[in-house]
Amino acid sequence: MKFIASNGNGWVEILSFSDEHGYESFSLESHIDLGHSQFKARNSDLCFLNWPEFSKDLNDFILNRSIQPQLLGTYDSYVKLHSSGNSVYLDFCVGSAYCGTSTLEYSSKGAFEVSQEHFSSAAAEAATYA
């Protein structure tokens, strides 16, 4: 599932993975290009905690923009959608942690206006993960 910025300068993508032992996880990746700087983050071993609710809310959001679908994941990762006027915005956080002798937490956060052209296909794909 991929959300693309309306100005073409970034995207956030969620992919599902499973291995031969039945272990399932998700990858959350973001890429933002501001011209003078780029921000990229990826965690390929996340669990999302509320797929069914997010999928339903995302589907309802198509007709009712007062809803704010939120997909919550491990390491404080999230994808949140909201609207203002006719525009849809995506806020995101790709989180991770390193657990050695001490725990260090990392995150990359951002937001952008979502391309309406790609929004409907992302909403349809969300239902396949629920």
Side-chain angles (χ1 to χ4, degrees):
M1 175 171 56
K2 193 171 195 175
F3 295 96
I4 299 173
S6 61
N7 63 6
N9 77 345
W11 49 265
V12 168
E13 184 171 33
I14 300 169
L15 297 173
S16 174
F17 294 100
S18 61
D19 66 17
E20 66 275 5
H21 305 289
Y23 179 74
E24 295 182 0
S25 67
F26 289 90
S27 169
L28 177 60
E29 184 173 0
S30 66
H31 176 91
I32 305 295
D33 185 347
L34 301 177
H36 63 281
S37 57
Q38 291 185 345
F39 295 88
K40 298 177 186 179
R42 180 174 155 195
N43 186 332
S44 55
D45 192 19
L46 289 174
C47 292
F48 287 108
L49 310 173
N50 63 329
W51 266 113
E53 295 88 354
F54 176 72
S55 178
K56 179 190 177 309
D57 288 349
L58 189 58
N59 190 50
D60 293 346
F61 181 71
I62 293 171
L63 297 176
N64 181 359
R65 295 297 168 95
S66 66
I67 297 170
Q68 295 186 1
Q70 299 180 43
L71 181 60
L72 305 173
T74 50
Y75 306 108
D76 294 327
S77 296
Y78 61 81
V79 172
K80 300 177 183 179
L81 291 140
H82 59 93
S83 67
S84 178
N86 291 329
S87 300
V88 173
Y89 295 90
L90 178 120
D91 298 346
F92 65 90
C93 177
V94 180
S96 192
Y98 173 77
C99 300
T101 55
S102 63
T103 300
L104 303 172
E105 296 181 6
Y106 301 90
S107 66
S108 178
K109 298 178 181 182
F112 56 78
E113 184 178 352
V114 175
S115 166
Q116 295 291 324
E117 178 182 340
H118 298 97
F119 176 72
S120 295
S121 62
E125 191 174 345
T128 66
Y129 295 133

